[in-house]
Amino acid sequence: MTATDPELTALAQGWCALSLLHGKIEAHIERALQSKHRLSVREYSLLDVLSRQHDGDGGHLQMKQVADAVVLSQSATTRLVTRLEDRGLLERYLCPTDRRGIYTNVTEAGLALLEEARPTNDAALREALDEAAKNSELEPLVRAVESLKTPAVQDRPSTAVAS
């Protein structure tokens, strides 16, 4: 196989289309969240991930798991947690059973902002997908995204996460 093989070219074009779709969606959501809630897409994602955590087995994620969920490095995730903590949206506390563990909790203010921002995020996502579907190269990817099934959101009894 060479770099000019049709298979590789098609693969590269597919990757470019996927990257373009992601960029368009993220930029649209970013503008909406920033203008209405002073939140970035990454901040919203982090609050969302942390808000879904719970006490009990498997309820507390390690920072690496949180970083993977928000698609950032561990150090970038830690900086993001610190920024949101400085804004009063997150708080950290020591694990009651392992003094080496530090958990991150979404504060009441963080939960309120997340719930206020959720409809904005969802509407901006829908708008971005509808706009992208008008592009014949992106339309199949939009349909693929729309067909994805994810597990139902579980109740959120607690919002603690290991950091």
Side-chain angles (χ1 to χ4, degrees):
M1 243 188 229
T2 66
T4 57
D5 282 341
E7 273 186 49
L8 288 178
T9 302
L11 188 61
Q13 288 173 341
W15 169 244
C16 286
L18 182 59
S19 182
L20 176 64
L21 178 62
H22 177 269
K24 286 180 174 288
I25 291 170
E26 187 171 55
H28 189 77
I29 295 172
E30 180 81 25
R31 285 189 300 274
L33 288 173
Q34 282 288 351
S35 69
K36 294 182 180 176
H37 308 286
R38 293 186 28 225
L39 273 177
S40 72
V41 169
R42 298 288 188 211
E43 291 168 337
Y44 175 88
S45 295
L46 181 65
L47 288 172
D48 185 53
V49 166
L50 295 177
S51 74
R52 296 173 190 275
Q53 305 315 296
H54 57 85
D55 289 326
D57 291 341
H60 299 120
L61 298 176
Q62 297 172 352
M63 190 52 72
K64 181 183 181 334
Q65 294 168 303
V66 175
D68 289 346
V70 295
V71 194
L72 289 173
S73 68
Q74 279 185 258
S75 61
T77 302
T78 298
R79 288 190 301 273
L80 185 56
V81 165
T82 299
R83 281 198 311 271
L84 292 177
E85 185 179 35
D86 291 346
R87 289 176 58 186
L89 303 175
L90 298 177
E91 60 189 4
R92 296 182 217 203
Y93 64 95
L94 290 176
C95 171
T97 58
D98 180 358
R99 304 300 282 178
R100 296 170 296 172
I102 299 174
Y103 294 138
T104 301
N105 222 14
V106 180
T107 64
E108 289 301 319
L111 289 172
L113 181 57
L114 178 63
E115 290 309 310
E116 181 183 309
R118 193 176 307 281
T120 301
N121 180 78
D122 294 348
L125 173 59
R126 181 74 266 157
E127 291 165 5
L129 287 170
D130 289 347
E131 186 62 31
K134 295 175 185 175
N135 179 324
S136 62
E137 292 179 9
L138 299 179
E139 191 271 337
L141 295 172
V142 170
R143 299 298 159 239
V145 167
E146 291 172 336
S147 71
L148 293 174
K149 303 292 185 227
T150 58
V153 176
Q154 297 175 350
D155 292 339
R156 301 175 192 165
S158 172
T159 57
V161 173
S163 57

